Amino acid sequence: MSGTFVGMPAFPEAAHEAVHNTTLRGNLRHATHTIRAKRANAVAEVSDWAALREAGKQIKDHTLRHLDRYLVQLEESVTAAGGTVHWAADADEANRIVTYLVKATGESEVVKVKSMATQEIGLNEALEAEGIRAYETDLAELIVQLGNDRPSHILVPAIHRNRGEIRDIFAREMSEWGRPAPEGLTDTPAELAEAARLHLREKFLRAKVGVSGANFMVAETGTLVVVESEGNGRMCLTLPETLISVVGIEKIVPTWRDLEVFLQTLPRSSTAERMNPYTSTWTGTTDDDGPQTFHLVLIDNGRTDTLADEVGRQALRCIRCSACLNVCPVYERAGGHAYGSVYPGPIGAILSPQLRGTGSEIDSSLPYASSLCGACYEVCPVAIDIPEVLVHLRERVAQGGPVTERGGKVVLKPAKGHAAERAAMRAARWAFSHPGALRAGQRLASRTRRFHPRTLPGPGRAWSASRDLPALPPEPFRDWWQRTNGGRTDGGREGTK
Amino acid sequence: MRVALFLTCVNDTLYPDTGRAVVKLLTRLGVDVDFPMGQTCCGQAHYNTGYRHEAEPLARKFSDVFREYEAIVTPSGSCGAMVRELYPRMGERARAEGRGDGLARTLAPVVPKTYELTEFLVDVLGVTDVGAYYPHKVTYHPTCHGLRSLGLGERPRRLLQAVKGLELVELPGADECCGFGGTFAVKNPDVSAAMGADKVRNAESTGAEVLCAADNSCLMHLGGTMTRLRTDLRPVHIAEILASTEEEPLV
């Protein structure tokens, strides 16, 4: 994935700052709670939501099961429609291909429609290194790019910014990238939108090359689909002479008919809209209309390895709606940056450690970045059981085990720093397997309760830093049960109340 | 009806009052309660922290201890969900790993017989008015596993509404996680504490004296947060409220 995130600290450290940043917490809380309520209403309007959710899950599972077949069909359809398909095994290869394609046009600027895939591979940085400037045209992406910032949400990359911050970024940075912000710009939404419109319009009219992602690719016709709210994406897709679409291989649906399901579930889950304001579809090239050259770069970048994992593969069903982020109490407090990836929130916590492996500090901490409350699973429109995958990945981190890396089976060792925990878990299992030992421990704890410290050493310190420990009772329940014969006698001693 | 109380290791060790309340309540409703002394822990902490293989012997032990009973009642949505939702999954995984049907067959008998307390009262005994008296203002936090894994729905609220003297007030953001999450509370202390503080402040805003839930682990985290934030709220397990009567009120 993008070099931007290399060397990220583990999630708990990264989240520490966000939790104590009151502006950020306020921005996130306001935004996620607003969209959360709207989504619930938009979903409640549809009487067959459960059936749509199941259908989306089934279509995606079917497609993933036969991905090899559908990818070949897609390549044939795209080629027949006048496009060219390129295959990229990883981020470097994808970046090399796109850079080569842009250079071949002789241009040194491209306009981009918001694309997770190009962020995942770090395309903008790769192009920059080759002297090509990529302009983000999605409003939120523009804010992030101008702010020299990183996206913190799948759908609303600038969710962590408020209007005042955006005004300051526009006023300070727009002139560096093109048309400056108007004098005396205020933070009213209309003025901010107009400033962005004027700034971007110049880019659209000048650009000869567009770079896009896609929400879906239809195998039977070779059609690509982008859904968006602003129309900036459609400008990128239709105005340039050359269009390069960079898409993950899992984004296929077999037929147009399958789109029907997702064009209902995606907008309601993401923006709480009944339908996207703009749904653009393009198939190869058409004489005298739209781009005259079309390239499709299909990226793997860890996806077939993920597909090889029986439990984890369901993450590839994801349609990037971000409902799981908006409902997640952990995301709401930690913010998107703490996840160290373009895929934050619950879906990021299961996607990143699979696409990138669990080798780094951040990736091995992500499966634990959840309280397993299950809200993400409940809202997911393709029914990804995120808690199940989190626990599965925790096992991989804590215990090691077989995984697929670059197509080959390897056996991972447990991640560092879990030895004490492993020993504690084993000891607890032993004690719980021997009720007598458990009871002796309980009694010892109860009898020494007057000497228990208010704060704990070691890992327990994290608990007692912000919460008091419960006081131990004078006797465990099982002793009371035995002493009183299940409360039938008073046992000759005062109760513990 | 021969019913076993599966108290859970946390309640056994830290919250015996909850255990006594369940015994008192069920006995009052005519249920013959037994507490099998061989019980320990369902293995949830092991399973959810990524030590599935350490959880398996505990699941087998659970089945050995409880399989002969007609029903198994637990005052914990979370541990109830472990048995009902995750034991079958453990069996499936063992099968998928080529270890045969043994584990699935061992665990199968206890799965459908395990009930969270409020489920048992409403679904099996068919009561919502358990004859309780508790003259306090109470707000209810539906814990995540009770809410989403077991689907307890309105059962706890219906039981509370039938309690004489009790004023039930709605908790804002009720279905949001309190931030406990087992080892999450220790592995991600900042986020966990922030979630807990928000939950306590929401409960405080209702003017309730008592924050009630059906899981003492969540209440342990919230209770520790309450004393640290110096609120007047008290955490009380729903079993203790339902066990309280005019003759023997819970203080």
Side-chain angles (χ1 to χ4, degrees), chain A residues 11 16 333 368 371 373 385 394-395 421 425 429 432 442 464-465 467-468 477-478 480 496-497, chain B residues 12-13 20 37 39-40 46 48 51-52 54 89 148 177 187-188 190 192 198 221 224 227-228:
Chain A
F11 183 84
H16 176 82
R333 273 94 186 170
Y368 298 95
S371 64
C373 81
D385 190 340
R394 287 176 183 189
E395 183 166 25
E421 179 184 276
M425 285 293 171
R429 194 259 296 140
F432 287 138
Q442 284 174 331
S464 52
R467 287 149 293 199
D468 287 329
F477 177 84
R478 63 182 63 229
W480 171 83
T496 54
K497 197 69 219 170
Chain B
D12 182 11
T13 309
R20 284 200 291 274
M37 292 297 267
Q39 66 177 286
T40 54
H46 295 82
N48 279 346
Y51 298 86
R52 187 166 47 98
E54 302 286 352
R89 203 171 274 179
R148 299 195 183 88
C177 178
K187 285 182 181 279
N188 282 284
D190 292 297
S192 167
D198 286 350
H221 161 72
T227 53
R228 197 57 69 89

Side-chain angles (χ1 to χ4, degrees), chain A residues 11-12 15-16 19-20 25 29 33 36 310-311 329-330 332-334 365 368-375 377-378 385 388 391-392 394-396 398-399 418 421-422 424-426 428-429 431-435 438-439 442 446 454-455 459-460 462-473 475-482 486 488 495-497, chain B residues 5 7 9 11-20 23 27 32-41 45-55 57-58 61 85 89 93 96-97 144-145 147-148 175-177 179-195 198-199 202 217 220-225 227-228 240 250-251:
Chain A
F11 183 84
H16 176 82
V19 167
H20 295 99
R25 284 265 310 268
R29 189 184 154 75
H33 279 246
R36 206 181 280 185
E310 271 176 43
V311 179
V330 176
E332 183 190 326
R333 273 94 186 170
S365 72
Y368 298 95
S370 164
S371 64
L372 304 180
C373 81
Y377 178 32
E378 193 173 58
D385 190 340
E388 181 190 25
V391 170
H392 172 68
R394 287 176 183 189
E395 183 166 25
R396 180 177 299 172
Q399 305 259 273
H418 287 262
E421 179 184 276
R422 204 160 37 246
M425 285 293 171
R426 202 172 296 145
R429 194 259 296 140
F432 287 138
S433 303
H434 299 81
L438 171 68
R439 191 168 182 182
Q442 284 174 331
S446 281
R454 294 275 292 173
T455 55
W463 176 277
S464 52
S466 53
R467 287 149 293 199
D468 287 329
L469 289 164
L472 266 180
E475 66 177 350
F477 177 84
R478 63 182 63 229
D479 282 6
W480 171 83
W481 178 272
Q482 206 163 42
R488 290 171 191 98
T496 54
K497 197 69 219 170
Chain B
L5 168 61
L7 186 57
C9 55
N11 287 323
D12 182 11
T13 309
L14 294 171
Y15 299 99
D17 288 350
T18 297
R20 284 200 291 274
V23 174
T27 306
D32 182 16
V33 188
D34 193 11
F35 178 82
M37 292 297 267
Q39 66 177 286
T40 54
C41 165
H46 295 82
Y47 187 94
N48 279 346
T49 313
Y51 298 86
R52 187 166 47 98
H53 291 294
E54 302 286 352
L58 299 177
K61 183 170 179 52
E85 191 183 29
R89 203 171 274 179
R93 277 299 293 278
E97 287 167 357
C144 299
H145 291 167
L147 181 73
R148 299 195 183 88
D175 58 0
E176 288 170 34
C177 178
F180 173 61
T183 44
F184 174 77
V186 176
K187 285 182 181 279
N188 282 284
D190 292 297
V191 177
S192 167
M195 288 162 71
D198 286 350
K199 179 65 72 181
N202 279 344
S217 302
M220 173 175 72
H221 161 72
L222 291 172
T225 306
T227 53
R228 197 57 69 89
E240 298 180 39
L250 176 76
V251 278

